[in-house]
């Protein structure tokens, strides 16, 4: 029986970086599959941000202050990340059920790590968009994802600190045991990054708006 769609596209790279027997051609192939749904989410967010930009000034006036406007926009992107992550995962689940592969027993673990990771990536996109790097943000984030994974995969001593490793079930302690990435540490770090991004974005917008913090 072939591997389920959920594990193929959302489980990450199944190779063991600490093993001398790692097949690097397979590593790159599995990494490309991992980056595909991430790229889809970033593309959808880019379209949404371009649409939002057309009514952004009116939306800002509606909320009067930059702080309220930023809170609303951040919450929408957060919700958008949840919906996009869940929708893609449900498509893969439906494909597995349709082809009689069934739902993988570890599916909920894969989903938890994937959802936390894709939300963080989409929040990063939002902050980069505010700095004027919106159109180049997807490429930057995909390079960040792929580059940090390859660094962590090639050097197991720094793997736990590499962003690209955190969302992969196959690289986590749930799959590899003690040699895998700590799940609590990765989830807590990603939550901290989301909070930091919110605070950083608010500061950036406040500086652009001036001391009064209004949309005028």
């Amino acid at each position: 029986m072939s591997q389920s769609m959920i594990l193929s596209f959302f489980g990450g790279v199944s190779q063991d970086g600490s093993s001398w027997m790692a097949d690097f051609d397979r590593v790159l192939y599995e990494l490309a599959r991992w980056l595909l749904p991430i790229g889809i989410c970033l593309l959808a967010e880019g379209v949404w941000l371009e649409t939002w930009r057309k009514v952004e000034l009116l939306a800002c006036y509606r909320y009067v202050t930059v702080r309220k406007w930023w809170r609303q926009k951040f919450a929408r992107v957060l919700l958008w990340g949840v919906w996009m992550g869940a929708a893609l995962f449900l498509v893969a689940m439906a494909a597995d059920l349709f082809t009689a592969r069934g739902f993988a027993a570890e599916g909920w673990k894969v989903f938890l790590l994937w959802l936390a990771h894709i939300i963080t990536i989409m929040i990063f996109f939002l902050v980069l968009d505010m700095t004027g790097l919106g159109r180049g943000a997807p490429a930057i984030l995909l390079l960040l994802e792929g580059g940090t994974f390859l660094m962590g995969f090639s050097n197991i001593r720094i793997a736990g600190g590499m962003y690209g490793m955190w969302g992969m079930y196959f690289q986590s302690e749930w799959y590899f045991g003690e040699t895998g990435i700590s799940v609590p540490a990765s989830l807590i770090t990603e939550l901290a990054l989301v909070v930091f991004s919110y605070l950083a974005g608010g500061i950036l917008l406040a500086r652009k708006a001036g001391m009064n913090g209004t949309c005028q």
Side-chain angles (χ1 to χ4, degrees):
M1 181 181 295
S2 60
Q3 189 180 60
S4 74
M5 294 283 286
I6 288 175
L7 293 178
S8 295
F9 288 93
F10 301 95
V13 176
S14 62
Q15 299 287 294
D16 184 359
S18 63
S19 172
W20 291 100
M21 302 300 292
D23 182 349
F24 281 93
D25 287 339
R26 184 177 174 186
V27 167
L28 294 176
Y29 173 69
E30 292 182 348
L31 179 60
R33 288 194 308 192
W34 166 259
L35 292 176
L36 178 61
I38 293 177
I40 292 174
C41 287
L42 291 177
L43 176 62
E45 183 180 6
V47 173
W48 182 85
L49 286 173
E50 284 296 327
T51 303
W52 177 271
R53 213 183 318 277
K54 295 177 181 178
V55 296
E56 196 164 39
L57 185 59
L58 293 176
C60 188
Y61 278 120
R62 176 185 175 187
Y63 293 103
V64 183
T65 66
V66 169
R67 179 177 298 179
K68 291 181 180 180
W69 171 81
W70 169 239
R71 186 185 306 144
Q72 177 70 12
K73 186 173 183 178
F74 189 90
R76 289 195 179 194
V77 172
L78 195 67
L79 183 61
W80 184 252
V82 171
W83 280 110
M84 281 297 301
L88 289 177
F89 197 86
L90 287 174
V91 169
M93 184 189 301
D96 282 345
L97 294 175
F98 182 76
T99 55
R101 292 189 182 98
F103 182 69
E106 55 274 86
W108 71 270
K109 297 178 180 178
V110 177
F111 178 68
L112 176 61
L113 293 175
W114 155 256
L115 188 62
H117 201 61
I118 196 62
I119 288 174
T120 309
I121 291 174
M122 295 182 80
I123 293 299
F124 284 169
F125 190 172
L126 173 60
V127 176
L128 286 174
D129 184 70
M130 292 165 47
T131 65
L133 295 174
R135 293 185 179 180
I140 294 172
L141 292 172
L142 289 175
L143 285 173
L144 172 68
E145 183 76 14
T148 52
F149 168 78
L150 292 174
M151 290 172 62
F153 187 83
S154 61
N155 188 343
I156 197 67
R157 290 176 296 181
I158 64 173
M162 292 294 101
Y163 176 75
M165 309 283 287
W166 297 342
M168 296 186 179
Y169 165 75
F170 283 136
Q171 297 298 319
S172 74
E173 62 184 358
W174 281 338
Y175 184 77
F176 275 127
E178 293 182 357
T179 60
I181 305 299
S182 170
V183 171
S186 62
L187 292 177
I188 291 172
T189 304
E190 288 183 314
L191 175 60
L193 287 173
V194 169
V195 174
F196 175 78
S197 298
Y198 173 75
L199 296 175
I203 293 172
L204 180 61
L205 280 178
R207 288 180 176 179
K208 287 184 176 181
M211 297 301 294
N212 59 8
T214 66
C215 295
Q216 297 178 2

